[in-house]
Amino acid sequence: MYITTTIPYVNARPHLGHALELVQADALARHHRRRGEPVRFQTGTDDNSLKNVLAAEAEGVPVRELVDRNAAAFEGLRGTLDLSFDSFIRTSSHPGHRAGVERIWRATAHDLYQRHYEGLYCVGCEQFYPEGPCPDGHEAPLQLVSERNWFFRLSRYQDALLDLIRSGRLRIEPAARRNEVLAFVEAGLDDLSVSRSAARARGWGIPVPDDPGQVVYVWWDALANYVTALEGGDYDRWWVREPGKVHLMGKGVIRFHAVYWPAMLLSAGEPLPTAIFVHDYLTADGRKISKSSGNAADPVALVDAYGVDAVRWWLLREVPRVGDADFTEARLIARSDEDLANGLGNLVNRVATMVHRFLDGHVPPAGEPLAEVSGTVHEALEAFDFRRAAQGVWEIVEQANKYVERTRPWQQDPRGREASLGTLVHACRELAVQLEPFLPTAAVRVAAAVAGERLPRPRPLFRRLAG
Ligand SMILES: [Zn+2]
């Protein structure tokens, strides 16, 4: 499976919304890898956005400097959030990107034409709107742009797109998002402006092939990353032959991915992605996440304060498949203490303590499995329902705790006790296996706590975060 996140523009450091998408993609990638499937997980940054240029101007630094600094902060999330991506593409420096964008441009030349255009442009969205203010909430007034641009004959692809989506060859989840895209396409498609003057772009970006006065529209440039990152044999392996190509994204960019991108590929005669998963937005303390949200929305500050397990667990266990979710530090602390310190950590400790107290640490033979959750977890992840998948893993903790209360191993005769503890150690081992896509480092600690023929001395696995 080829799994991609969107590539964020880098006018600022990453926030918690970026962390959500990366952690979801990571859980998906780890899940499919452990099933033995070949996986390529890719993320990166959109360096060529005009927003980056404006942010650099506002800071008074060269664009290259700002872009390099912020892109490094995004790439650094790999360590911060325990991400397992195989590839990180930066559109301003990846060796194959510019050539790939030029190749797709030339392959779609039969659908490109020039005309004069006047429209209202939102730099925040990097798109034109018929009227202001920006429907996505950007406060800067829309800019009146009047210039000669290249246009892409999107209108030609209406029927092909409807067929693609209705037939399920391009799966869009959740269903409400699929219906939203269908309604948009059914209403008729206008041709799309796909270049801007190099002057307006401040000379930043990829020049239009054979027309250096124009720069390729940053969305065209950014969308192409999903194939330009696949150089040489990788393209054939991951874009032509791979049966599962999944794009993850936030709801604000669905039209680019579910309409413009497939139309570009159809025009270029290239294979299409197979699935699109759209997540909703996070707010922090009830407000839209922005640069002014401070530490509450900074994934690095949150991991420094509470640890990666708490942050990943909140994102995967609390954020619903449909609907916005509000992040607060109090919710993160409560969820981590209840589930990780009290639930999971206590269970594993209690089991290891009993094995030491009654069996001198020796692990008895495994009994019957307590809860068979791998099917539930797989089904939930097939539906991109990360919260339901995390709840599935949780089923093991709940079943094991109930089992302890029911059997009360400390009151059993030695044979019964040995059988009960065998069952419980087995359940904790299964828990470590099932936890891996969600909490990779905690899974290693849990596995180590119940490993071997003789268990190590129990130690606390998670610290309590509340004072
Ligand atoms: Zn906007």
Side-chain angles (χ1 to χ4, degrees):
M1 181 175 278
Y2 178 31
I3 299 166
T4 66
T5 70
T6 49
I7 52 170
Y9 45 84
V10 288
N11 63 339
R13 294 173 56 79
H15 59 58
L16 198 60
H18 301 120
L20 171 67
E21 190 169 308
L22 286 163
V23 167
Q24 287 181 335
D26 186 65
L28 203 58
R30 289 177 184 275
H31 171 69
H32 284 277
R33 276 192 210 110
R34 76 173 167 173
R35 288 170 56 84
E37 299 168 33
V39 170
R40 179 188 170 100
F41 167 21
Q42 179 174 301
T43 184
T45 53
D46 169 9
D47 293 356
N48 296 336
S49 165
L50 183 54
K51 279 201 257 205
N52 302 335
V53 177
L54 298 180
E57 279 178 5
E59 261 191 51
V61 298
V63 187
R64 171 54 63 190
E65 183 183 321
L66 175 115
V67 162
D68 285 351
R69 186 182 70 211
N70 286 332
F74 277 88
E75 195 163 5
L77 291 179
R78 181 187 176 85
T80 311
L81 292 169
D82 278 347
L83 303 175
S84 63
F85 51 78
D86 304 292
S87 154
F88 190 94
I89 176 172
R90 293 187 52 195
T91 55
S92 71
S93 59
H94 186 275
H97 182 68
R98 178 168 170 172
V101 169
E102 289 171 349
R103 181 179 59 76
I104 296 173
W105 183 277
R106 292 206 162 95
T108 59
H110 59 106
D111 282 323
L112 298 174
Y113 63 96
Q114 297 186 70
R115 73 175 159 93
H116 185 82
Y117 186 72
E118 263 190 26
L120 292 165
Y121 197 76
C122 175
V123 177
C125 297
E126 300 271 19
Q127 90 177 89
F128 285 104
Y129 288 110
E131 57 186 18
C134 163
D136 207 40
H138 291 113
E139 283 169 17
L142 304 191
Q143 295 175 359
L144 179 64
V145 171
S146 171
E147 64 189 25
R148 181 185 60 87
N149 285 157
W150 286 93
F151 275 74
F152 172 68
R153 281 187 219 282
L154 182 64
S155 51
R156 265 189 193 165
Y157 293 93
Q158 180 173 5
D159 290 343
L161 288 168
L162 289 174
D163 180 52
L164 185 68
I165 297 166
R166 286 186 187 137
S167 69
R169 278 184 293 135
L170 177 59
R171 182 179 160 216
I172 301 174
E173 298 284 353
R177 296 294 167 201
R178 174 178 177 273
N179 295 337
E180 179 188 320
V181 173
L182 282 173
F184 175 76
V185 178
E186 280 161 358
L189 297 173
D190 293 329
D191 289 349
L192 181 67
S193 163
V194 291
S195 75
R196 63 168 61 102
S197 76
R200 188 157 64 86
R202 316 287 206 275
W204 188 251
I206 297 177
V208 168
D210 308 318
D211 187 3
Q214 294 274 305
V215 170
V216 174
Y217 179 39
V218 67
W219 266 106
W220 181 289
D221 168 335
L223 289 164
N225 94 88
Y226 302 125
V227 300
T228 61
L230 306 169
E231 283 185 276
D234 280 353
Y235 176 84
D236 187 56
R237 167 64 189 86
W238 293 105
W239 199 255
V240 179
R241 286 190 287 124
E242 171 56 45
K245 287 165 279 184
V246 182
H247 296 322
L248 273 70
M249 71 202 61
K251 62 184 174 183
V253 298
I254 182 172
R255 195 171 293 173
F256 299 96
H257 286 83
V259 180
Y260 305 160
W261 173 231
M264 281 165 65
L265 291 166
L266 286 167
S267 174
E270 296 204 35
L272 298 162
T274 56
I276 281 175
F277 169 66
V278 186
H279 61 78
D280 285 359
Y281 285 159
L282 289 182
T283 54
D285 295 322
R287 287 191 303 272
K288 188 174 172 173
I289 291 178
S290 67
K291 273 192 262 185
S292 55
S293 306
N295 283 356
D298 176 356
V300 177
L302 289 171
V303 168
D304 281 349
Y306 303 114
V308 64
D309 297 324
V311 173
R312 281 183 69 116
W313 191 243
W314 188 87
L315 292 169
L316 292 167
R317 171 95 153 118
E318 291 256 337
V319 177
R321 182 170 179 269
V322 175
D324 294 340
D326 187 44
F327 173 84
T328 68
E329 290 185 60
R331 289 195 182 113
L332 175 139
I333 291 168
R335 179 51 83 184
S336 178
D337 282 352
E338 184 185 332
D339 284 2
L340 302 183
N342 297 348
L344 204 166
N346 268 358
L347 169 70
V348 174
N349 245 282
R350 208 173 168 192
V351 170
T353 302
M354 286 192 284
V355 170
H356 274 279
R357 181 172 155 203
F358 296 113
L359 304 172
D360 193 30
H362 293 282
V363 176
E368 289 292 300
L370 273 181
E372 185 43 66
V373 304
S374 60
T376 314
V377 171
H378 180 62
E379 228 171 75
L381 288 177
E382 286 288 283
F384 305 106
D385 193 337
F386 298 93
R387 186 168 68 166
R388 188 151 59 82
Q391 277 164 357
V393 177
W394 207 246
E395 192 60 20
I396 301 177
V397 176
E398 287 184 340
Q399 292 294 332
N401 276 327
K402 280 185 196 151
Y403 184 82
V404 172
E405 292 314 314
R406 195 169 65 240
T407 57
R408 303 177 152 263
W410 56 93
Q411 292 177 349
Q412 286 180 295
D413 62 52
R415 265 184 70 180
R417 179 153 60 218
E418 199 168 296
S420 298
L421 291 177
T423 296
L424 286 165
V425 171
H426 184 71
C428 291
R429 287 177 176 171
E430 177 63 10
L431 185 58
V433 171
Q434 294 299 334
L435 205 55
E436 194 271 339
F438 303 87
L439 303 180
T441 48
V444 170
R445 292 203 304 278
V446 172
V450 287
E453 288 172 12
R454 192 163 181 212
L455 298 190
R457 286 267 155 211
R459 280 183 305 164
L461 290 170
F462 298 94
R463 68 185 168 103
R464 285 188 54 84
L465 300 178

